[in-house]
Amino acid sequence: AAGSWGSRWAPKKLPEASRKWKKDVENARRPASLTERYREVRYESLHADGAGEIARLFAWMGEPVGDGEAGAYVAASAFDKVRS
């Protein structure tokens, strides 16, 4: 990222980038200890079962969606769709 789209903020060296990533993740998770209204959504979970993960997230928010609707959200946010 430092060599292209993230040149303004991304560290150029791997050790610096690793420290920044760790700090950013820790900061993002900090609210979890302050409230029950925190939900972490992991890329790996979305990649493995996008529609299922979306359905679980909506159910957690109290707005359940059906499998078809959850699948439509996943399809609409595919990289080839959002690039343009």
Side-chain angles (χ1 to χ4, degrees), residues 14-69:
L14 183 59
E16 296 167 17
S18 298
R19 283 189 290 275
K20 179 176 178 9
W21 179 264
K22 183 176 186 281
K23 182 181 173 190
D24 289 348
V25 170
E26 289 169 349
N27 286 338
R29 288 178 171 163
R30 189 170 293 131
S33 65
L34 304 174
T35 181
E36 293 179 8
R37 298 178 59 91
Y38 172 89
R39 175 77 178 229
E40 184 171 306
V41 178
R42 299 181 64 226
Y43 169 81
E44 294 85 357
S45 300
L46 285 169
H47 185 68
D49 180 20
E53 190 65 21
I54 293 296
R56 287 185 287 278
L57 179 61
F58 271 77
W60 175 78
M61 292 187 294
E63 295 290 336
V65 297
D67 292 342
E69 188 174 359

